[in-house]
């Protein structure tokens, strides 16, 4: 999964690999990233993850939607400013 915004401050690599079961939902991906963040990122902010969106190469996906098989995913933290 590609990391953007504040998540790029968590590790030097721009992406992280997470294992998910077949048919996993975006909520499962969110939980897997939270577990990874708590285990590996000292500056991990769970509140930021809770407010962030997940996207495939073509769409922003909600927690109840399945993670598309074979498609790259990205975590998109909220942004502010004008």
């Amino acid at each position: 999964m590609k990391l953007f915004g504040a998540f790029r401050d968590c590790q030097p690599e721009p992406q992280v690999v997470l294992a998910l079961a077949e048919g996993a939902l975006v909520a499962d991906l969110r939980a897997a990233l939270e577990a990874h963040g708590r285990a590996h990122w000292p500056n991990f902010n769970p509140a930021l993850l809770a407010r962030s969106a997940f996207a495939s190469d073509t769409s922003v996906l909600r927690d109840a939607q399945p993670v598309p098989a074979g498609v790259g995913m990205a975590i998109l933290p909220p942004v502010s400013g004008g």
Side-chain angles (χ1 to χ4, degrees):
M1 175 169 34
K2 296 177 186 172
L3 304 173
F4 291 96
F7 291 102
R8 288 285 288 123
D9 296 334
C10 293
Q11 67 176 39
E13 298 83 18
Q15 61 187 20
V16 63
V17 176
L18 301 170
L20 296 174
E22 186 175 326
L25 303 177
V26 171
D28 300 320
L29 178 57
R30 186 181 301 277
L33 184 59
E34 181 171 353
H36 180 87
R38 289 183 185 275
H40 300 286
W41 297 339
N43 57 343
F44 174 66
N45 180 351
L48 179 65
L49 176 61
R51 295 188 310 270
S52 296
F54 287 83
S56 68
D57 292 339
T58 59
S59 304
V60 174
L61 302 170
R62 298 187 184 275
D63 281 1
Q65 293 180 279
V67 174
V71 174
M73 295 291 292
I75 177 89
L76 307 173
V79 295
S80 62

